[in-house]
Amino acid sequence: MPVQISDLYDNWAELQAHADTWKQRTLKQAFDKDSNRAARYSTAAAGLEYDYSKNHVDEDTLKLLLGLAEKADLKGAIKRLFRGDHINNTEDRPALHSDLRFEGEAQNDNQKEVAAALDKMSGLISRVHNGEWKGFDGQEITDVVNIGIGGSDLGPRMVTKALSAYHTGHVNVHFVANVDGAEINDLFEKLNAGSTLWLVASKSFSTLETLENALTARRWMLSQGCPEDSLAKHFVAISSKVEKAIEFGMDADNVYPMWDWVGGRYSLWSAIGMPIAFAVGMDNFNKLRAGAARLDNHFAEAPLEKNIPALMGLLMFWYSNVLGADNQAVLPYANHLQLLPSYLQQLEMESNGKSVNKEGQRLGYQTGSIVWGTEGTNGQHSFHQLLHQGNVLTPIDFIAPLRAKHDIKHQQKYLIANCIAQSQALMEGRDLAASKAELEAQGVAADEINALAEHKVHPGNRPSSTIAMEELNPETLGALIAAYEQKVFTLGVLWNINSFDQWGVELGKLLGTHVATAIDTTDVPTDWDSSTKTLIKRFLEANA
Ligand code: F6P
C-alpha cells in the first residue's frame, strides 16, 4: 500500500476542508476585503521582493501550511542541510552547495578548497583575458567553449545569458551540450582553432555526450593543425573525478576540482561556473555567489512566515497536493532570463520527480511538477490564452527586474507594465456582464453580443506570485537562483523525498548504450519489443 499524504500530516482533512472554502470565494474578493493584502502577503530578502498576495492564501491557509512545515520539521531540516548531514541518503553524502558561495573568508575545510579552486580559476581567467595565455600558434584566446550537459551546462549557460549586460567583451563564450553532432559542427564554422579554449565540464567525467563532444573537439583541433603536444593550451577540465580527466588526456595542471558533496545541478557556483566568469569576470562571478549566500542566510534565519524559499515551497505544495496542480509556469519578464525556465526544469524535476520516499516506500501522492515557461512578453502572444481561459490550474511565478540596464526606457515600461497587467488580469478576470458591456460600448449589435460575450469572459481567480528586483544584476540573480534551490529543498522535506539523487536518469542511459551496440553490431536481440526492433531497422536502412 503506497504511503498517502494524509499518513504524513494528520490534519489533512482540515486542510482539505479549508481548501473547500477557497471554492466559495475569489482572489478578487480577498483583495476587495483587505486593502492591505499586498503588504500582508509580501516579504523581501537579498534584493528580492516576493509578492504572493495573488494566491489562494489567507491567515488560516498560512497557519495550516506553516503547521505542515512544523510537522515535517523544516527548520530542523534546514539546519541539517547547512550543517552537512548526509541528507542525500541514497548516495550517503551531504548537499553542501551552500559551501560554494560563502562571502568573505573561507570558514571551513570545504570552503578553503573552494577558495583555492576559485583562486586558480581566477588566475586562468586573467591570463586569458589579458592575452598572456596563447594558443598553439601564438594567438590570444578569443573564444571559450563549454562542453557539458545537464548541471554542467544549464546553470552556466543560463547565467551567462542572464548577465549579458555584464559581459566584459574579452572573449566570446559558447556552449555545446547535445550529443547531436550538429551542435558542435555548427560551432566549428565560427571558431578559429588557434584562438579557442575548450572547457570540458563533467562532475563524473563519464557522461557520454560530454566525452564524445570532447573527443570531437580534440580531433578537430588536430585537424586544424594543433600539434598533439600543444593540446594542453586549448583544453581545461572541471570534474570531481580529477584522475579520470587526466586519464582522458587532460593536462593535470588544467583540471579544476568539483566535489562529491555538490550535486551537478547545484554546482554553477564552483569552477563549473567558469564560463560565467570568462564572460563577466571574476568580480561579478563572486557577486553572484554573494547574492546566493545572502539568500542562504535568509533561508537559515528568517521565520518561516517571512522566509521566501519556504513560502515558495509551501505554496507549491498547497497547489500540487491540495488544489491539484500538476504544473507551474515561470515567466521572466527579462529577455536575458530566457533560459531560466529550462534551467529550473532540471533543478525542480530532476530533484523532486520521485515516487519513493527517503525510506524507499512507494508514494501515493504527487511529488514534483512540470515546470515550463518562456520570457515575457513573448508568451503573451502564445500560451497565455490557456493561462487566461483554459481549464488547467497553473500557478505562475512572474519574475520582474524593474530597471533595465539599457537605455531604451520606454520599452522597459511596456515590458513591466505587461508583467503587472498579466497578474492583474489573471487574478481579476472579466465576467459576463463586463464582457457584454464592453461589446455594447463598441457598438456591437445585440445578437452578436449574445453570440460573443461568453467567449470573452475571463474566469480570473488564477494564482500568481511576483518576484521583483530593482534590476537584474549578479547579486539579485544569485539570490533568485538560490531561492529556487531552497524552494526545491523545502518541497523535498514536505514530501519526505531525497531531492539530491537522480536514479531515474540511469535506465535510459543504460538502454541507450545497448541500442547503440545493437546498431554497431546489427545484432538486435530477438526478444526486444517490435517497436524498438523496427526503429533500429529503420535507422540502419536510413544510414546504410
Ligand atoms: O544524467 C543526469 C546527470 O547526471 C545530471 O544529474 C548531471 O547534471 C548531468 O547528467 C551531467 O553529469 P556530469 O556533470 O557528471 O557530466
Side-chain angles (χ1 to χ4, degrees):
M1 191 48 190
V3 179
Q4 302 302 323
I5 197 81
S6 51
D7 299 336
L8 273 66
Y9 303 107
D10 47 18
N11 63 342
W12 197 252
E14 199 187 338
L15 203 70
Q16 282 178 313
H18 175 69
D20 285 343
T21 70
W22 273 109
K23 291 184 187 142
Q24 324 299 324
R25 55 206 166 111
T26 63
L27 289 171
K28 176 152 174 29
Q29 287 164 347
F31 274 98
D32 289 345
K33 242 177 64 185
D34 177 5
S35 59
N36 199 33
R37 187 172 164 84
R40 199 183 305 286
Y41 301 115
S42 288
T43 185
L48 305 181
E49 299 158 36
Y50 181 51
D51 172 355
Y52 60 101
S53 61
K54 292 191 182 99
N55 282 284
H56 298 90
V57 290
D58 62 11
E59 293 306 293
D60 291 336
T61 325
L62 273 187
K63 208 165 138 215
L64 283 161
L65 292 175
L66 290 165
L68 301 183
E70 200 177 327
K71 183 83 207 312
D73 189 23
L74 177 59
K75 274 280 179 195
I78 295 172
K79 278 206 184 77
R80 291 189 285 280
L81 168 77
F82 288 123
R83 194 169 66 194
D85 285 15
H86 285 208
I87 56 171
N88 178 354
N89 63 315
T90 61
E91 296 175 309
D92 193 19
R93 55 195 187 208
L96 270 174
H97 37 288
S98 53
D99 269 349
L100 298 174
R101 55 213 191 189
F102 54 91
E103 271 191 279
E105 287 292 294
Q107 297 299 324
N108 59 37
D109 290 348
N110 286 346
Q111 294 185 0
K112 283 179 191 151
E113 285 187 48
V114 174
L118 294 183
D119 245 24
K120 185 176 164 191
M121 170 169 132
S122 174
L124 168 68
I125 285 162
S126 45
R127 286 176 69 198
V128 169
H129 278 185
N130 67 26
E132 204 183 300
W133 182 290
K134 301 273 193 317
F136 70 90
D137 54 1
Q139 290 187 68
E140 294 180 11
I141 300 299
T142 56
D143 291 81
V144 174
V145 186
N146 188 72
I147 298 179
I149 198 164
S152 301
D153 167 72
L154 290 163
R157 194 192 284 253
M158 181 273 284
V159 173
T160 300
K161 176 77 192 173
L163 295 181
S164 295
Y166 292 82
H167 286 200
T168 64
H170 288 96
V171 289
N172 305 309
V173 178
H174 315 267
F175 294 86
V176 172
N178 204 322
V179 76
D180 182 347
E183 193 179 17
I184 195 164
N185 199 48
D186 287 353
L187 200 55
F188 287 149
E189 284 167 25
K190 298 186 192 135
L191 298 175
N192 169 305
S195 60
T196 299
L197 182 68
W198 299 88
L199 313 179
V200 183
S202 175
K203 183 183 169 189
S204 61
F205 227 82
S206 62
T207 302
L208 171 90
E209 292 87 338
T210 302
L211 298 188
E212 286 302 325
N213 276 320
L215 288 171
T216 300
R218 187 179 190 278
R219 278 192 296 271
W220 181 77
M221 289 298 295
L222 295 173
S223 76
Q224 300 295 301
C226 176
E228 185 127 15
D229 61 5
S230 290
L231 283 171
K233 295 178 176 162
H234 294 275
F235 283 89
V236 162
I238 306 108
S239 183
S240 68
K241 302 282 184 246
V242 172
E243 290 312 317
K244 273 193 178 178
I246 295 169
E247 251 169 60
F248 184 83
M250 294 291 172
D251 191 282
D253 269 357
N254 290 354
V255 183
Y256 290 73
M258 240 278 269
W259 300 273
D260 262 355
W261 40 266
V262 183
R265 55 192 172 273
Y266 297 87
S267 65
L268 70 88
W269 325 93
S270 69
I272 290 283
M274 203 181 282
I276 304 169
F278 266 116
V280 301
M282 208 57 203
D283 282 353
N284 283 321
F285 184 66
N286 284 330
K287 285 182 185 167
L288 178 85
R289 293 172 56 246
R294 281 169 218 157
L295 197 288
D296 282 347
N297 287 340
H298 163 76
F299 186 51
E301 277 154 29
L304 296 184
E305 63 276 14
K306 290 277 169 213
N307 194 311
I308 297 177
L311 289 166
M312 288 167 80
L314 285 165
L315 274 178
M316 199 55 218
F317 181 90
W318 171 236
Y319 286 116
S320 305
N321 298 83
V322 190
L323 299 177
D326 63 3
N327 75 108
Q328 51 178 314
V330 178
L331 308 178
Y333 275 66
N335 203 61
H336 290 159
L337 280 176
Q338 64 188 193
L339 301 178
L340 183 67
S342 60
Y343 163 77
L344 292 176
Q345 281 172 344
Q346 185 197 22
L347 180 64
E348 294 231 12
M349 294 161 82
E350 196 174 66
S351 297
N352 284 342
K354 308 286 164 67
S355 50
V356 293
N357 63 15
K358 291 190 94 171
E359 293 74 38
Q361 294 165 307
R362 208 134 279 288
L363 301 178
Y365 53 87
Q366 183 185 322
T367 67
S369 57
I370 298 153
V371 181
W372 61 284
T374 196
E375 70 274 26
T377 58
N378 301 12
Q380 288 178 214
H381 300 274
S382 156
F383 55 75
H384 281 230
Q385 165 65 35
L386 178 143
L387 296 176
H388 287 286
Q389 288 190 315
N391 271 338
V392 180
L393 175 59
T394 303
I396 299 165
D397 283 350
F398 288 101
I399 315 290
L402 301 174
R403 196 172 49 228
K405 296 295 289 179
H406 56 73
D407 287 330
I408 315 169
K409 300 293 177 209
H410 70 288
Q411 290 199 202
Q412 179 69 7
K413 173 192 69 189
Y414 288 126
L415 175 71
I416 299 302
N418 270 283
C419 176
I420 298 167
Q422 285 296 310
S423 74
Q424 184 186 32
L426 287 159
M427 183 274 287
E428 286 199 353
R430 183 173 56 189
D431 64 14
L432 189 61
S435 125
K436 282 187 172 165
E438 190 200 55
L439 288 164
E440 267 163 26
Q442 288 165 2
V444 177
D447 53 344
E448 214 179 316
I449 291 180
N450 285 336
L452 268 184
E454 207 51 84
H455 294 274
K456 293 187 145 241
V457 168
H458 286 54
N461 200 30
R462 294 172 182 221
S464 71
S465 307
T466 299
I467 304 177
M469 60 201 82
E470 285 279 317
E471 63 176 22
L472 182 65
N473 60 35
E475 287 99 332
T476 54
L477 179 63
L480 181 71
I481 300 166
Y484 276 102
E485 286 180 351
Q486 306 300 16
K487 167 207 171 183
V488 166
F489 172 75
T490 298
L491 280 162
V493 173
L494 294 169
W495 286 320
N496 186 32
I497 57 175
N498 179 359
S499 301
F500 298 103
D501 60 12
Q502 57 283 321
W503 301 106
V505 301
E506 299 300 333
L507 180 61
K509 281 188 199 171
L510 180 71
L511 297 194
T513 62
H514 292 179
V515 172
T517 306
I519 287 170
D520 277 344
T521 58
T522 65
D523 180 13
V524 184
T526 50
D527 59 347
W528 283 8
D529 67 87
S530 57
S531 165
T532 304
K533 283 190 292 197
T534 309
L535 288 167
I536 292 172
K537 184 166 159 269
R538 284 292 304 116
F539 176 84
L540 287 168
E541 283 164 5
N543 286 280

